[in-house]
Amino acid sequence: MKRFRFKCATVVLLFLCIIPQPGIAEICTSKDREYAKFSDNYYDPEEAYHFGKIIQALVKKKDLEGIFSYVDGELNNGPRRSFAYSKGFDGTFPAEWIQSVSTDTPPCSPVGWRGFMLGSGLIWYNIVDDKWRIISINGAVEEKNPTPAGWSVEGKLAHPQCLFFTRVTGNYIAEFARAFKIKDIDVFFEHPGKFFGKQIRDYKPIRPSWCCNKKCELISMVKPIKQCIPDSYQHERSSHGISTKTTDEYGTILEEAYTLLKKVSPEKCSELAPHIGSPCTESYLLKAGDYSGGTMGWDMSTGIYGLFDLPELGPSIVPLRFFENDNEGLQFLE
């Protein structure tokens, strides 16, 4: 009898080995694996699903430090690490946020180039430098920094075109590095204020390399107020701050916007442009950009800008320091 039971147990074990058991591998489909192959296999579908489950487990445990252990530096969008820690888990994430994230089914495939999401976009994550990382957290309690709706200069509201900002198409900063023979390109991209009055002494607009011999718009990093603020212009206050729409000579509508994030002291502003030869009179950390259309949407960059009274140009807005995101800028000021 004992021998029979042993044989039965052996048969059962063999049966279990033959029939695939439910697990992570069965969650992701052949379609998911084909999509990963199409994306050069930069991720494994099963690993993506598993990382989503890790995030959900941390959310259910309300493990704030555990969540931020998967964030490199600061989030591209969402609460700053220090702000979240000061508020605590329940003070940062509403109950409905927790419910939506923890009950979602983790995906095996990304949403195009945007990465993977949970809770219909409340959390975004992806592989960064060969490691799974949380990139953005939406829907959390927002940090409030009292600032004016727009930058008022000499009684006029600054136009978005008063702000030099990076763009996806046509690397404008690289054009100035080329024109002024700047070798420390990485430093220049992040700290342009260090180069004004030193390598860059002529603040007039330059002709970009893509112009060749044809007529095209010159570009400038330094924007004189008397030139960039029209006598009157239409603007609206949207979720992107002060927004304007203009039409170029080809009939293309250009939509630009900026929003002030935090006021910067004149002393800090002057430190960021030590060679410019003029004191900073006003400064803000702000976000500015334009609407790129398509899946890209708004192309925004975050930076500190200062107002300087420059020879020949008069009061002008100068870009001083750029950041990867709003949170890094806020953290820098602290």
Side-chain angles (χ1 to χ4, degrees):
M1 191 71 176
K2 291 181 180 179
R3 185 179 179 183
F4 175 74
R5 287 178 178 173
F6 175 76
K7 286 184 176 180
C8 288
T10 304
V11 171
V12 171
L13 287 173
L14 289 172
F15 182 74
L16 290 174
C17 291
I18 294 171
I19 298 178
Q21 296 304 296
I24 294 176
E26 292 187 27
I27 296 294
C28 301
T29 65
S30 58
K31 186 177 180 181
D32 292 319
R33 283 179 274 279
E34 282 297 317
Y35 193 86
K37 185 177 180 181
F38 175 76
S39 303
D40 296 327
N41 286 319
Y42 84 87
Y43 67 93
D44 181 88
E46 285 74 29
E47 284 186 7
Y49 174 83
H50 181 60
F51 186 68
K53 297 295 286 185
I54 290 175
I55 294 175
Q56 289 181 318
L58 293 171
V59 169
K60 290 176 182 178
K61 290 195 302 181
K62 298 186 177 182
D63 187 348
L64 195 60
E65 291 191 7
I67 291 172
F68 274 93
S69 70
Y70 289 104
V71 178
D72 280 341
E74 295 289 347
L75 293 162
N76 286 348
N77 188 65
R80 278 194 302 147
R81 187 186 299 265
S82 60
F83 175 75
Y85 287 172
S86 69
K87 301 289 288 185
F89 189 94
D90 290 322
T92 303
F93 302 114
E96 58 270 20
W97 184 96
I98 299 171
Q99 176 71 11
S100 182
V101 170
S102 59
T103 58
D104 195 8
T105 300
C108 294
S109 297
V111 184
W113 57 269
R114 298 178 185 275
F116 302 79
M117 70 176 182
L118 283 172
S120 300
L122 293 180
I123 290 185
W124 288 89
Y125 53 97
N126 211 337
I127 290 182
V128 180
D129 295 331
D130 298 323
K131 296 179 181 179
W132 285 99
R133 290 289 181 260
I134 297 174
I135 300 170
S136 295
I137 296 178
N138 301 305
V141 173
E142 294 184 4
E143 182 176 359
K144 300 296 184 181
N145 289 299
T147 56
W151 195 340
S152 181
V153 182
E154 298 186 341
K156 295 182 178 180
L157 187 65
H159 194 282
Q161 292 182 356
C162 292
L163 305 166
F164 173 85
F165 46 86
T166 57
R167 291 180 171 86
V168 171
T169 55
N171 198 320
Y172 284 27
I173 296 183
E175 288 300 308
F176 286 92
R178 175 192 60 81
F180 293 97
K181 298 179 174 57
I182 295 173
K183 296 181 179 180
D184 298 330
I185 296 180
D186 290 340
V187 176
F188 182 52
F189 269 54
E190 190 173 349
H191 305 265
K194 292 183 177 181
F195 295 81
F196 294 112
K198 197 173 182 181
Q199 285 92 332
I200 303 177
R201 297 185 180 183
D202 185 352
Y203 304 136
K204 295 178 182 177
I206 66 170
R207 180 182 295 276
S209 60
W210 57 79
C211 278
C212 298
N213 295 322
K214 62 183 179 180
K215 180 182 178 182
C216 65
E217 184 180 359
L218 303 180
I219 60 175
S220 175
M221 293 187 75
V222 175
K223 304 298 183 77
I225 294 301
K226 60 185 178 183
Q227 296 177 18
C228 69
I229 301 182
D231 291 334
S232 62
Y233 68 93
Q234 297 294 322
H235 72 276
E236 61 180 26
R237 296 180 180 180
S238 67
S239 58
H240 298 285
I242 301 298
S243 301
T244 63
K245 291 182 180 180
T246 55
T247 305
D248 63 17
E249 56 183 317
Y250 304 104
T252 303
I253 297 177
L254 176 64
E255 188 172 1
E256 299 174 304
Y258 72 91
T259 182
L260 303 180
L261 300 175
K262 191 170 185 177
K263 192 172 182 63
V264 180
S265 70
E267 294 77 19
K268 171 62 73 175
C269 171
S270 295
E271 288 177 9
L272 297 175
H275 310 292
I276 202 166
S278 177
C280 177
T281 57
E282 193 172 26
S283 179
Y284 284 100
L285 171 70
L286 57 84
K287 180 164 58 179
D290 56 14
Y291 185 72
S292 303
T295 58
M296 290 299 298
W298 282 90
D299 177 20
M300 309 292 283
S301 61
T302 303
I304 294 176
Y305 295 74
L307 181 65
F308 298 84
D309 191 358
L310 301 175
E312 298 183 15
L313 298 181
S316 304
I317 295 180
V318 182
L320 305 175
R321 173 79 188 264
F322 288 114
F323 303 93
E324 287 291 330
N325 51 60
D326 300 352
N327 287 338
E328 286 194 4
L330 291 168
Q331 199 65 27
F332 170 79
L333 292 176
E334 288 190 2

